[in-house]
Amino acid sequence: MPQILKQAGIDYYYFCRCGKGIPLFWWEAPDGSRVLAYNLGWYNADVTPAIGNLPLEYERAFDISESLHVYGVGDHGGGPTRGYIEAALELQRRLIFPRVKFSTAQGFFDRVLSQNTEFPVVRDELNTTFEGCYTTHADIKLWNRTSENLLPTAEAFATLAAAYGRDYPRDDFVTAWRNTCFNQFHDIFDGSAIHESYDYSRGLFEEASKLGSDALYGALATLAARVDTRGRGVAVVVFNPVAWDRADAVTASLDLPSGTLAVRVTDDRGRDLPAQVAGRDAETGLLLVSFAAEVPSLGYRVFHVQPQQAASAPTAGAAADDSGRIENEFWRVQVDLSNGTVTSIYDKRRRLELIPPGERANLLQALFEKPHGMSAWTIGEISRTEDLDGPAQVRVVETGPARAAVRVTRTWRDSTFTHDITLYADAERIDFITTADWREIGTPQADFPMIKVAFPVALSRAQANFEIPFGSIARASDGREVPALKWIDLSGIAAGGADYGLSLLNDSKYGHDVKGGVMRLTLLRCSYDPDPRPDEGEHHFTYSLYPHAGGWRQADTVRRGYELNNPLIALAEPAHAGELPASESFLRVEPDGLIVTALKRAEDSDDVILRFYESEGAAVRARIVPGFAWAGAAEVNLMEAPTGAAIDAGGSEIRLNVNPWEIKTLRLGR
């Protein structure tokens, strides 16, 4: 956060919640960026003679003669009252009293720095507060994550499509981002608004989703129309939204004959790929074809699908059987047929069992909170925990070779949970594709449940890490409810002494806890104020387990989180010649720890803005290879103003130094 503020031209930061008990300090980001922060007072503070104590305290503590007092009726949209102003004027008239001056936060910070610059330094997060807000109202969490994934992808492909004559929908992006940011207002996004607020927020999200989807698929269609798609069978252009080469599963909706029972899928080099018919779309009647795809960095590849009357000889890939076993080249997963929990995850390459003996993974747990005030904001005292390990229905729903899945369905009280535990031919994730029909209603009269899912891990000396915006942070495994974005990770020592870890990824959840060797993700709550029914209804979300050798850095966990949240996109396209080849990368950024977060038009011109950050805490030399026309490059800040930093932008690539955890933004001329 200090780096984001600093790169946006903000040097000072006033806040009244959280903090470290230090009123005035330098808040320093992991990359070394600093802002001067002030943490004192409350937004409902009044004006009394007691404020006269502050300057003396600050002179003793910081060798300055200034203090800042923020006052007003803040919780009702107001500000200073006449009474507060009259009280301050009365204090000004006192002969023996510190000088009282109406001023600004900017004025206070400027005067402080003119007197002293040696203040304590805080190199840590200022979280956490109101831990219930990380989960309450799962709908707004999903809308937010969906927009945060969709809009940058749409901007990137719209920028690329502009080179082929498509208008860049700048105004639509402004509207979509404003809607998204409005829904991040803290009493909306955190789930503490009244029920009717979410009807309004849904409308904002739906508008943003439509604008983003129209921009994205219009851009993809423009690009696909210029790709050489000639070949045998139906052409499918698969686009990769992330800026690295990727092997992953994809599902295409295709107009194939009704008698199609199997398919043959080949890539642009004529190689046969693991593929299967996954059913038909109930609304469109189109055949769903799943296959393993390798797609270049922020680019595309053409595949061809040919209908078959019968499946060809079995190929390597994923498989499942009636014993509850799911397997691919990476993992062997065992599901207990009696209760649907996972009793074994075996790493076939390293011959490691990842679940401790006698433990169960993907275990749903109901934690009952005692009734308490502000139930949307805070998690109350837990009176008891109930494992949801009763009888469950377990059956195979897909058997490979592209993917295999075992479906677990369980009913608990009035709610139903369905998990499709899924493995893929090429992807190393273990996906838990989940539908929850949540019918629990909390009241002040009885303990009420929230649902977590638990994954015990067979590791010793494990360290927990959590993704935060543009970085990650290590935290204690003490069972506290803490926020994270797309992933958390627990890495340590596996049996035999090998460095090993497991990452828990998600596509729309934020509340987590880690205690000892157990990672848990909070799925749903049923708080009752101010909204008495915040999460009642059907929910769709996916969380994934990603076991890996070494720590999260070596395993590219950051990339795996982005991949789950930004799936490959398949687009059927007629066969035709084209100026673009059958496979292309529009952007490549190296080394692996650099994560692209934006490729878009500049706010004031048709230049291209490229933003990325260093995600592993290492100083690196970046290499950027744009696959589109550009003329010169300059480093800019978050406001897209030049920084004057030197970069090497000769030839067909750009090179520059990147500090650990640093956010970099470049402007490329067009």
Side-chain angles (χ1 to χ4, degrees):
M1 190 68 179
Q3 181 183 185
I4 293 170
L5 293 170
K6 197 73 175 179
Q7 287 206 21
I10 298 171
D11 298 317
Y12 307 139
Y13 184 65
Y14 167 81
F15 65 107
C16 66
R17 279 187 175 137
C18 305
K20 300 290 185 181
I22 307 170
L24 187 62
F25 59 92
W26 290 108
W27 191 18
E28 184 174 303
D31 79 309
S33 301
R34 284 182 173 186
V35 293
L36 187 59
Y38 186 80
N39 175 210
L40 192 71
W42 194 242
Y43 56 71
N44 286 324
D46 56 9
V47 179
T48 72
I51 66 174
N53 296 323
L54 293 176
L56 180 59
E57 295 173 6
Y58 280 35
E59 187 195 35
R60 291 170 175 169
F62 305 113
D63 194 26
I64 60 174
S65 60
E66 310 286 330
S67 64
L68 175 67
H69 181 69
V70 179
Y71 62 97
V73 186
D75 202 28
H76 300 279
T81 65
R82 289 184 176 86
Y84 292 158
I85 295 172
E86 290 169 355
L89 292 172
E90 192 277 326
L91 294 176
Q92 283 185 333
R93 291 190 289 268
R94 293 190 178 188
L95 298 178
I96 303 176
F97 198 80
R99 183 184 176 202
V100 175
K101 178 182 178 182
F102 293 101
S103 185
T104 63
Q106 174 84 31
F108 165 74
F109 282 112
D110 288 345
R111 286 181 60 83
V112 162
L113 285 182
S114 71
Q115 299 175 34
N116 191 10
T117 60
E118 299 298 321
F119 302 108
V121 179
V122 173
R123 300 180 178 91
D124 197 5
E125 61 182 344
L126 302 181
N127 271 321
T128 56
T129 185
F130 296 148
E131 68 286 348
C133 295
Y134 310 146
T135 302
T136 305
H137 251 294
D139 50 4
I140 193 70
K141 271 67 169 176
L142 176 63
W143 302 340
N144 179 75
R145 186 74 65 84
T146 300
S147 295
E148 288 184 341
N149 293 328
L150 170 63
L151 296 181
T153 298
E155 286 177 327
F157 284 109
T159 299
L160 298 169
Y164 298 92
R166 183 173 178 82
D167 289 339
Y168 185 84
R170 189 188 305 273
D171 291 343
D172 289 348
F173 283 133
V174 169
T175 299
W177 275 118
R178 283 178 174 167
N179 287 2
T180 298
C181 292
F182 185 94
N183 278 346
Q184 291 178 347
F185 169 66
H186 71 270
D187 274 324
I188 297 174
F189 188 29
D190 72 354
S192 64
I194 62 173
H195 187 83
E196 290 75 11
S197 295
Y198 295 96
D199 295 334
Y200 181 77
S201 290
R202 178 186 287 276
L204 294 179
F205 163 71
E206 289 174 346
E207 182 182 29
S209 180
K210 183 180 186 307
L211 292 172
S213 296
D214 288 349
L216 172 60
Y217 286 97
L220 296 182
T222 296
L223 295 170
R226 286 157 177 79
V227 174
D228 188 339
T229 57
R230 292 172 294 180
R232 296 187 62 183
V234 176
V236 178
V237 186
V238 177
F239 292 91
N240 177 15
V242 297
W244 54 85
D245 295 344
R246 172 181 183 183
D248 210 336
V250 67
T251 298
S253 300
L254 304 176
D255 186 9
L256 292 177
S258 58
T260 302
L261 302 176
V263 291
R264 180 189 181 196
V265 177
T266 54
D267 65 11
D268 59 316
R269 291 160 288 187
R271 300 183 304 172
D272 283 291
L273 305 172
Q276 68 198 65
V277 173
R280 284 196 178 271
D281 187 290
E283 294 183 5
T284 65
L286 297 176
L287 197 71
L288 302 177
V289 175
S290 298
F291 57 95
E294 294 182 11
V295 189
S297 171
L298 194 63
Y300 66 86
R301 173 163 277 134
V302 176
F303 300 84
H304 285 91
V305 181
Q306 301 175 55
Q308 308 282 302
Q309 293 302 311
S312 57
T315 58
D321 60 39
D322 291 336
S323 71
R325 175 178 292 184
I326 325 166
E327 193 165 1
N328 62 9
E329 65 174 299
F330 310 114
W331 325 113
R332 185 167 63 241
V333 177
Q334 184 62 53
V335 180
D336 190 317
L337 295 179
S338 66
N339 60 34
T341 62
V342 174
T343 57
S344 174
I345 300 175
Y346 185 73
D347 185 331
K348 296 167 64 174
R349 291 169 295 177
R350 301 169 187 91
R351 299 180 181 180
L352 283 174
E353 174 56 55
L354 308 182
I355 299 179
E359 299 285 352
R360 296 161 295 173
N362 198 42
L363 174 64
L364 296 182
Q365 296 180 313
L367 283 67
F368 285 84
E369 302 177 49
K370 292 184 177 180
H372 59 281
M374 298 183 67
S375 62
W377 289 265
T378 62
I379 294 175
E381 180 183 351
I382 303 301
S383 60
R384 61 189 175 92
T385 298
E386 179 181 337
D387 291 344
L388 278 59
D389 57 359
Q393 298 175 4
V394 180
R395 64 185 181 94
V396 175
V397 290
E398 292 188 272
T399 59
R403 67 184 190 186
V406 167
R407 177 168 296 168
V408 176
T409 304
R410 71 172 68 254
T411 299
W412 179 75
R413 296 177 27 149
D414 294 324
S415 299
T416 303
F417 301 88
T418 302
H419 307 282
D420 283 359
I421 306 173
T422 307
L423 297 184
Y424 305 94
D426 282 353
E428 295 184 68
R429 299 189 319 268
I430 305 169
D431 283 355
F432 298 82
I433 304 168
T434 303
T435 298
D437 188 10
W438 183 241
R439 299 297 168 184
E440 310 308 311
I441 306 298
T443 71
Q445 286 74 44
D447 296 359
F448 60 96
M450 66 174 171
I451 297 294
K452 290 178 173 281
V453 61
F455 287 89
V457 177
L459 297 172
S460 60
R461 300 204 298 268
Q463 171 64 59
N465 281 272
F466 303 76
E467 189 186 36
I468 58 177
F470 293 97
S472 64
I473 193 166
R475 296 181 180 131
S477 302
D478 57 9
R480 290 186 307 124
E481 186 84 358
V482 293
L485 297 181
K486 293 178 288 294
W487 59 268
I488 67 171
D489 181 84
L490 200 56
S491 292
I493 308 299
D499 290 337
Y500 203 89
L502 289 93
S503 302
L504 180 58
L505 321 174
N506 77 86
D507 70 354
S508 59
K509 302 299 177 184
Y510 295 89
H512 301 75
D513 75 84
V514 178
K515 188 169 186 179
V518 180
M519 297 186 290
R520 296 196 299 186
L521 178 66
T522 309
L523 304 179
L524 294 163
R525 296 183 70 227
C526 54
S527 58
Y528 49 82
D529 68 319
D531 185 347
R533 296 171 180 261
D535 281 328
E536 183 184 23
E538 190 167 276
H539 302 264
H540 301 272
F541 50 87
T542 297
Y543 52 89
S544 305
L545 201 63
Y546 170 51
H548 55 80
W552 62 268
R553 293 176 174 86
Q554 298 92 326
D556 287 331
T557 286
V558 179
R559 288 185 167 192
R560 301 295 88 80
Y562 272 88
E563 288 170 0
L564 175 66
N565 280 264
N566 296 273
L568 296 173
I569 306 168
L571 203 66
E573 180 70 13
H576 51 66
E579 61 194 283
L580 291 172
S583 177
E584 183 68 283
S585 168
F586 293 115
L587 178 68
R588 191 172 300 279
V589 177
E590 300 170 347
D592 290 357
L594 299 181
I595 304 297
V596 173
T597 61
L599 182 73
K600 68 181 190 70
R601 281 280 181 88
E603 296 302 310
D604 60 359
S605 73
D606 289 339
D607 290 347
V608 173
I609 296 295
L610 168 65
R611 181 170 299 117
F612 59 91
Y613 75 100
E614 200 290 311
S615 67
E616 297 176 355
V620 298
R621 179 74 171 169
R623 176 176 177 262
I624 298 113
V625 184
F628 52 85
W630 57 284
E635 184 175 337
V636 297
N637 62 17
L638 293 182
M639 306 308 291
E640 302 179 9
T643 66
I647 63 174
D648 180 359
S652 61
E653 61 185 46
I654 304 164
R655 292 181 179 268
L656 69 157
N657 294 326
V658 183
N659 293 324
W661 310 111
E662 187 177 11
I663 302 168
K664 286 288 190 182
T665 308
L666 303 179
R667 179 191 287 262
L668 280 62
R670 293 298 293 266

